[in-house]
């Protein structure tokens, strides 16, 4: 039971031949990378606005004398993990876990003397949360940096100055390129083209696509919702079909988003979903999280560690938070599920 002819165009890792309404950003990136010395770039904008697609498309079109290294900072969210990934990418060799950071740095530097390299730090917010300043300081100082450029891709950071040391920023000096949220018309265009490439003819009603495009600005979520619906029905997709699959599609989207994280991330998110009235505070969530851990025979983490995990959920766009300072309760953080997933 499926309406899908070709899975690839609906997959999140698929890179289309052209990217809708991002021509000015593409030109700015390409122009920057045509410099004699590779620049440092901060590519920022909300989730689902084409940042990763732009970057992935661009690195496949680089000149032959530039080697590119793509690092997903969700999985490589510390300096050491990112350096191990970079070393493996440069050398093509497996990098033992036991290598000290300074040894990795020396081995990497030996490889950078005669060839230009471009390092992409995608989902950089997860690295910045774990003091990514150290990695950026190191990378920005290599070769002053004649043979190395960095693209920092962020959904939450429009400026790095408040998140890294002044000396790091003064050397890094990133060029800022921003992406704006897609309009519903642009989302419609993107989803329509992917549906044309993926689904059986006449399997998607016009009003269903219009509804889907108006329901989210995040194209990644929209594509997942469309894929989930098409895989679980044999009848042409109507607006009502999408409404019926919305809750399950969003649930699967969350599961996929958290699939590379720990049981504690998933348990924490489940605890947040347990409430009926929002916003709730971090103390309420921690109490409920501990109850879930007890039921699952899972040793609970500390309140401080769970605060970090709350930030991870926020970086993924799964929750929204607001912190208040002062008052009789002191500092408190209020939390609710993301409006995009409701």
């Amino acid at each position: 039971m499926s309406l899908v002819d070709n899975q690839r165009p609906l997959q999140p890792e698929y890179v289309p031949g052209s990217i809708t309404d991002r021509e000015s950003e593409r030109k700015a990136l390409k122009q920057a990378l045509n410099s004699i010395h590779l620049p440092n770039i901060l590519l920022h904008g909300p989730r689902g606005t084409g940042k990763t697609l732009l970057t992935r498309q661009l690195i496949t079109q680089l000149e032959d004398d530039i080697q590119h290294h793509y690092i997903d900072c969700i999985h490589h969210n510390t300096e050491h993990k990112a350096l191990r990934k970079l070393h493996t990418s440069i050398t093509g060799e497996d990098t033992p876990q036991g290598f000290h950071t300074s040894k990795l740095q020396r081995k990497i530097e030996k490889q950078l003397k005669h060839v230009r390299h471009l390092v992409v730090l995608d989902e950089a917010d997860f690295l910045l949360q774990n003091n990514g300043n150290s990695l950026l300081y190191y990378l920005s100082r290599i070769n002053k940096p004649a043979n190395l450029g960095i693209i920092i891709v962020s959904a939450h950071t429009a400026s790095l100055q408040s998140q890294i040391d002044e000396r790091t920023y003064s050397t890094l000096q990133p060029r800022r390129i921003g992406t704006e949220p897609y309009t519903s018309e642009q989302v419609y265009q993107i989803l329509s083209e992917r549906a044309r490439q993926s689904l059986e003819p006449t399997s998607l009603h016009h009003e269903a696509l219009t509804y889907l495009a108006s329901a989210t600005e995040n194209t990644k979520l929209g594509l997942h919702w469309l894929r989930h619906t098409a895989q679980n029905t044999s009848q042409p997709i109507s607006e009502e079909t999408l409404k019926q699959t919305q809750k399950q599609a969003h649930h699967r989207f969350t599961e996929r988003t958290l699939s590379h994280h720990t049981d504690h991330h998933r348990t924490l998110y489940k605890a947040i979903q347990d409430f009926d009235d929002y916003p709730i505070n971090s103390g309420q969530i921690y109490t409920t999280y501990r109850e879930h851990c007890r039921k699952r025979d899972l040793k609970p983490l500390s309140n401080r560690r769970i605060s970090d995990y709350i930030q991870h959920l926020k970086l993924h766009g799964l929750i929204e938070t607001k912190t208040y300072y002062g008052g009789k309760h002191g500092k408190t953080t209020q939390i609710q599920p993301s409006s995009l997933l409701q």
Side-chain angles (χ1 to χ4, degrees), residues 187 191 207-216 221-223 225-226 242:
V187 176
L191 296 177
E207 84 279 357
L209 193 57
T210 301
Y211 170 74
L212 184 58
S214 65
T216 180
L221 174 58
L223 287 167
W225 188 354
L226 178 59
L242 286 170

Side-chain angles (χ1 to χ4, degrees), residues 16-293:
S18 61
I19 301 174
T20 300
D21 291 300
R22 289 293 177 255
E23 185 60 21
S24 62
E25 293 88 346
R26 188 191 68 80
K27 285 182 178 179
L29 281 168
K30 191 169 183 178
Q31 183 179 18
L33 293 173
N34 282 338
S35 305
I36 295 176
H37 299 306
L38 289 173
N40 300 320
I41 297 169
L42 172 63
L43 179 60
H44 63 89
R47 289 192 171 279
T49 55
K51 300 183 301 300
T52 297
L53 287 182
L54 274 173
T55 307
R56 284 190 174 278
Q57 184 189 72
L58 193 69
I59 60 180
T60 65
Q61 302 169 350
L62 291 172
E63 297 176 12
D64 292 339
D65 67 335
I66 301 177
Q67 295 184 14
H68 64 267
H69 312 284
Y70 179 86
I71 300 175
D72 183 348
C73 296
I74 292 177
H75 304 110
H76 305 91
N77 60 356
T78 66
E79 179 185 20
H80 191 265
K81 288 179 181 178
L83 286 172
R84 285 186 64 226
K85 175 65 176 178
L86 179 57
H87 178 264
T88 297
S89 180
I90 291 174
T91 64
E93 304 170 357
D94 289 335
T95 307
Q97 289 228 4
F99 276 14
H100 191 273
T101 296
S102 58
K103 184 176 182 179
L104 278 171
Q105 291 173 342
R106 290 193 298 271
K107 291 174 74 68
I108 288 169
E109 287 171 32
K110 288 181 181 179
Q111 303 292 325
L112 300 181
K113 291 183 178 179
H114 307 296
V115 180
R116 295 194 294 167
H117 295 261
L118 179 68
V119 178
V120 176
L121 299 174
D122 199 5
E123 298 283 3
D125 303 290
F126 289 86
L127 178 68
L128 291 169
Q129 189 187 19
N130 290 332
N131 191 22
N133 176 80
S134 298
L135 177 68
L136 292 178
Y137 180 76
Y138 165 71
L139 293 177
S140 68
R141 296 282 170 143
I142 294 178
N143 293 338
K144 304 276 182 205
N147 286 341
L148 181 72
I150 310 165
I151 298 181
I152 302 164
V153 184
S154 168
H156 293 269
T157 302
S159 174
L160 289 170
Q161 283 182 282
S162 64
Q163 298 203 49
I164 59 178
D165 291 347
E166 184 177 346
R167 63 174 186 169
T168 302
Y169 190 84
S170 66
T171 306
L172 195 66
Q173 289 293 321
R175 303 185 189 185
R176 290 171 52 187
I177 299 175
T179 60
E180 295 297 326
Y182 281 119
T183 64
S184 58
E185 291 81 7
Q186 291 168 334
V187 176
Y188 181 96
Q189 183 180 348
I190 293 167
L191 296 177
S192 176
E193 178 59 23
R194 298 290 189 92
R196 185 189 64 78
Q197 297 175 35
S198 302
L199 305 185
E200 295 177 359
T202 69
S203 61
L204 179 62
H205 292 174
H206 169 73
E207 84 279 357
L209 193 57
T210 301
Y211 170 74
L212 184 58
S214 65
T216 180
E217 298 173 345
N218 186 331
T219 56
K220 187 180 295 186
L221 174 58
L223 287 167
H224 175 90
W225 188 354
L226 178 59
R227 182 175 69 252
H228 173 84
T229 305
Q231 288 174 335
N232 291 280
T233 185
S234 58
Q235 300 298 317
I237 299 171
S238 65
E239 179 178 338
E240 186 59 33
T241 310
L242 286 170
K243 290 178 178 178
Q244 290 171 358
T245 61
Q246 179 170 357
K247 185 174 181 180
Q248 183 67 14
H250 287 191
H251 175 69
R252 296 295 186 195
F253 179 78
T254 301
E255 284 187 335
R256 181 165 185 157
T257 300
L258 295 178
S259 62
H260 298 292
H261 288 283
T262 68
D263 282 344
H264 290 280
H265 285 89
R266 291 183 284 275
T267 302
L268 173 63
Y269 188 69
K270 181 65 173 65
I272 293 172
Q273 290 181 305
D274 268 4
F275 292 84
D276 294 321
D277 296 319
Y278 298 99
I280 50 180
N281 63 50
S282 52
Q284 292 173 287
I285 290 174
Y286 187 67
T287 299
T288 307
Y289 156 77
R290 288 179 62 91
E291 292 173 359
H292 277 279
C293 287

